[in-house]
Amino acid sequence: MTSKDDITVGGYLLERLAQLGVQSVFGVPGDFNLGFLDLVDDHPKLEWIGNCNELNASYAADGYARVKPKSVGALITTFGVGELSAVNGIAGAFSEHIPVVHIVGVPSTAQQKSKPMLHHTLGDGRYDAYYTAAQQFAVSWAFLNDTHTAAAEIDRVITACITRARPVYLMLPTDIAYERIPKGSLETGPLVRQPPEVDTAIEDFVIDEIVKLVKEAGSSVAILADSCAIRHHCEDELLELIKETGYPVYCAPMGKTVVPEDYERYGGIYIGSITPPEVKQAVESTKLILSVGLLNSDFNTGGFTYRIEPTSTVQLHSDHTKIQYAMFPDVGMKHLLPKLTSALRDLKSSAVSVAVPPFKATIPSPNDDPLHPIISQAYFWPRMAAFFKPKDVIVAETGTSSFGVLGVPFPKDSIFVSQILWGSIGYTVGATLGAALGARERGLGRTILFVGDGSLQLTVQELSTMMKCGLAPIVFVLNNSGYTIERYLHGKTRAYNDIVNWKWTQLLEVLGPDAKPAPKSYTVNNKTELEELLDDPDFAKAERMQLVEVMMDKFDAPEALQRTAELSTKANKYAQ
């Protein structure tokens, strides 16, 4: 017997997402999720976006979650063919600590038991094959095959997603989606993070040990912040620590914008051996580094070339703290940072005596730019820094874009989206869709994408979805005739790093012929043409979809990319 207080399993799941602030739901329809999509379509707070393919949908869910703090990306695919197409994007979200709820519509519970040779199966009766595979890229998962446990399982899995900031996986059979269950705890409010219990005695001991090291280092203390401070919602606590102590602060590449880049004690990006000399010297000569949310990946550390000894480091993470060589499990930074700030506040006078190199962008003069008047990488990125505005969402593709944009400051309240650890080329196109939707929902500024011509060819279809949704990102396509980052890694003149040169300025007309207002496209061949475009107020307003083809030299690349590629090539040890 059901009552008016009952709700469908699918409805319960969607209400949990809506309570977390989800408004846009990504995915592709398939016969095993169509009934569930009716519930999405009818939900008053959710909008079904509908992507061109599942890979792009997973990228979009990732980008959405990055721009919507304390929310999640929601992705719906179908059994087998759909969910496997999304795996690359889900793996990237796992790698980079992005909370995505992946919901897969699967055959009915009766079919799961009888195991007929259905389409989308492997033809061998293994209905759990994809479920098993998905567990490699999720922190929690559930097969919702029992109405008595469905609500509790949904709550358990989504709580893991928001607590650990990583993807989770839910299998929803066609018949279960419409089974009715009690609303239960829905009416008590949204799910909340459940970090591990903190032993206050251990936490107090950790604070005391850090304070001892800080006092021993005197004024020679700096903070190195990274992406996990963003992913685990510690920006406010970190900023309070920074301002109350006055310590110089630097960021790793993945952590760009976790600290406002106009803050007077911010010194820029530290990338090991490829860091600008003044920043490298400032960081590596410091006696004690307070590291907050650092991910020590190769591209994030300049090919593992950090010159910071463990004895000079305190590492604060979401679920543990490491002081030199000592590990303290369950002492996470969210709870620890405010206490640390209180303990160090009185030491501010010595901290502010240490000078911090200013982080600024300098456009090279024509005499210093060998490619003048061609648009060079050395010119392009500092010039773009002058174009950025507060609250812009800036998306940079793996390769020349992600390396080029690191060296220039962003304005206040801007958001940086890039995939430096996972590094799947083409990621940013789908991610821009999700990021632009998240920005619109939050009332942020423009969404600006920088993507290479090679990367764009992988996922270009999602430009169509952006126009369908009435979004107006500015897309800068860096046309340098192929895969420039790959050229520097190996095979600089090899044919496999070349691509077909598309008619880029005709893309928006093909992909969005009915878009209103009509999109615009431009080609800029030199610095003068780029300057005129960037200075055009109508262009800068970003009130319509705009694509800018930027003509660049085939072998030009940011210095940071070139030096990182050298380190990577040595590590790969290709036979000569």
Side-chain angles (χ1 to χ4, degrees):
M1 178 179 292
T2 62
S3 76
K4 63 180 181 180
D5 293 327
D6 287 349
I7 189 172
T8 63
V9 172
Y12 185 98
L13 172 53
L14 295 177
E15 196 58 35
R16 280 305 193 199
L17 295 176
Q19 287 179 339
L20 290 173
V22 172
Q23 294 175 245
S24 299
V25 179
F26 305 96
V28 177
D31 55 347
F32 295 119
N33 66 28
L34 290 174
F36 179 51
L37 293 188
D38 286 345
L39 299 177
V40 178
D41 204 34
D42 293 339
H43 196 286
K45 295 181 180 178
L46 299 176
E47 181 182 2
W48 171 250
I49 299 305
N51 297 87
C52 295
N53 60 55
E54 291 87 357
L55 174 60
N56 288 348
S58 63
Y59 289 158
D62 176 306
Y64 183 85
R66 293 181 193 239
V67 175
K68 293 273 299 239
K70 301 181 182 177
S71 187
V72 298
L75 169 67
I76 301 174
T77 63
T78 196
F79 182 61
V81 293
E83 59 182 306
L84 293 181
S85 292
V87 163
N88 179 29
I90 294 297
F94 185 97
S95 172
E96 302 222 347
H97 292 247
I98 307 298
V100 173
V101 178
H102 186 188
I103 304 162
V104 181
V106 302
S108 70
T109 51
Q111 290 173 319
Q112 296 277 343
K113 291 177 182 177
S114 62
K115 296 180 173 42
M117 192 181 292
L118 281 180
H119 60 289
H120 300 341
T121 70
L122 298 171
D124 61 359
R126 286 186 296 146
Y127 274 62
D128 63 347
Y130 317 133
Y131 185 55
T132 301
Q135 293 170 23
Q136 309 306 309
F137 315 107
V139 294
S140 188
W141 49 85
F143 179 17
L144 303 177
N145 61 349
D146 185 344
T147 56
H148 296 94
T149 60
E153 286 291 85
I154 290 168
D155 288 358
R156 175 184 65 81
V157 169
I158 295 180
T159 298
C161 182
I162 60 177
T163 299
R164 300 178 64 183
R166 275 181 159 157
V168 294
Y169 178 92
L170 290 166
M171 281 178 65
L172 181 60
T174 55
D175 55 329
I176 294 292
Y178 276 82
E179 289 289 331
R180 301 192 71 83
I181 59 174
K183 289 183 179 178
S185 58
L186 269 184
E187 296 175 352
T188 64
L191 299 169
V192 296
R193 296 176 70 250
Q194 293 183 353
E197 290 292 327
V198 177
D199 186 321
T200 55
I202 295 176
E203 191 176 57
D204 290 342
F205 176 80
V206 167
I207 293 289
D208 289 343
E209 290 299 301
I210 295 173
V211 171
K212 287 178 187 177
L213 291 175
V214 169
K215 288 182 176 178
E216 289 174 7
S219 61
S220 187
V221 179
I223 296 170
L224 179 61
D226 201 6
S227 58
C228 279
I230 303 173
R231 309 290 188 257
H232 296 277
H233 316 303
C234 295
E235 299 102 317
D236 292 342
E237 292 83 357
L238 173 61
L239 190 58
E240 183 187 26
L241 173 69
I242 289 166
K243 291 190 173 180
E244 290 296 317
T245 61
Y247 293 129
V249 57
Y250 304 88
C251 285
M254 290 177 67
K256 186 174 176 65
T257 69
V258 66
V259 176
E261 298 196 325
D262 61 351
Y263 173 55
E264 66 271 14
R265 303 288 291 163
Y266 176 67
I269 305 292
Y270 175 66
I271 331 177
S273 66
I274 64 176
T275 309
E278 66 277 10
V279 175
K280 185 175 185 294
Q281 169 63 22
V283 173
E284 294 179 358
S285 64
T286 300
K287 291 181 181 178
L288 182 67
I289 296 291
L290 301 179
S291 164
V292 182
L294 187 64
L295 282 173
N296 287 319
S297 72
D298 53 354
F299 282 5
N300 207 34
T301 62
F304 307 115
T305 60
Y306 271 21
R307 294 295 178 261
I308 305 172
E309 295 299 324
T311 52
S312 302
T313 306
V314 172
Q315 298 182 38
L316 309 181
H317 294 279
S318 62
D319 57 1
H320 72 276
T321 297
K322 189 175 182 181
I323 302 176
Q324 296 175 320
Y325 292 103
M327 180 76 75
F328 298 90
D330 298 337
V331 180
M333 58 185 169
K334 181 76 173 177
H335 200 254
L336 189 71
L337 280 169
K339 291 188 174 184
L340 187 59
T341 299
S342 296
L344 298 178
R345 187 176 279 119
D346 294 340
L347 304 176
K348 184 173 182 177
S349 58
S350 64
V352 296
S353 66
V354 178
V356 179
F359 183 47
K360 58 184 181 180
T362 303
I363 299 175
S365 67
N367 292 335
D368 295 330
D369 189 347
L371 291 177
H372 185 76
I374 296 172
I375 300 169
S376 65
Q377 298 281 341
Y379 156 83
F380 182 72
W381 298 108
R383 179 60 184 89
M384 291 311 309
F387 178 73
F388 297 148
K389 297 178 182 180
K391 295 189 176 182
D392 278 347
V393 177
I394 301 162
V395 188
E397 178 62 59
T398 296
T400 55
S401 297
S402 60
F403 280 96
V405 82
L406 289 177
V408 301
F410 288 2
K412 185 178 180 180
D413 297 327
S414 53
I415 295 175
F416 177 51
V417 176
S418 192
Q419 202 187 53
I420 292 172
L421 173 52
W422 185 244
S424 180
I425 64 171
Y427 155 81
T428 56
V429 187
T432 294
L433 167 66
L437 286 164
R440 183 166 70 184
E441 293 168 13
R442 288 186 57 194
L444 298 177
R446 305 171 300 180
T447 300
I448 303 172
L449 167 63
F450 297 98
V451 60
D453 50 356
S455 294
L456 180 54
Q457 290 190 356
L458 272 72
T459 49
V460 66
Q461 309 97 317
E462 232 51 43
L463 298 178
S464 175
T465 313
M466 295 176 205
M467 288 183 278
K468 178 189 73 173
C469 294
L471 301 171
I474 302 175
V475 180
F476 288 93
V477 182
L478 309 188
N479 187 340
N480 48 18
S481 304
Y483 303 119
T484 297
I485 185 172
E486 312 291 7
R487 293 190 197 283
Y488 276 90
L489 288 167
H490 187 78
K492 197 167 187 177
T493 60
R494 292 284 187 175
Y496 50 68
N497 285 325
D498 298 334
I499 63 169
V500 175
N501 187 33
W502 290 0
K503 293 183 182 294
W504 298 103
T505 55
Q506 296 181 24
L507 275 180
L508 299 187
E509 182 180 349
V510 171
L511 296 174
D514 301 320
K516 302 294 182 186
K520 282 191 174 183
S521 296
Y522 314 83
T523 296
V524 289
N525 296 282
N526 52 55
K527 293 178 177 139
T528 300
E529 292 177 0
L530 179 60
E531 292 282 351
E532 290 175 353
L533 182 62
L534 297 181
D535 290 339
D536 182 343
D538 289 333
F539 173 77
K541 286 179 185 175
E543 294 179 342
R544 66 181 74 229
M545 181 87 167
Q546 297 177 106
L547 182 147
V548 183
E549 180 185 19
V550 184
M551 305 304 297
M552 306 185 96
D553 184 83
K554 184 175 183 178
F555 299 111
D556 186 26
E559 183 180 354
L561 182 150
Q562 296 183 44
R563 295 175 65 184
T564 299
E566 289 173 9
L567 294 168
S568 183
T569 298
K570 290 178 182 177
N572 288 336
K573 295 182 179 178
Y574 287 122
Q576 297 299 313

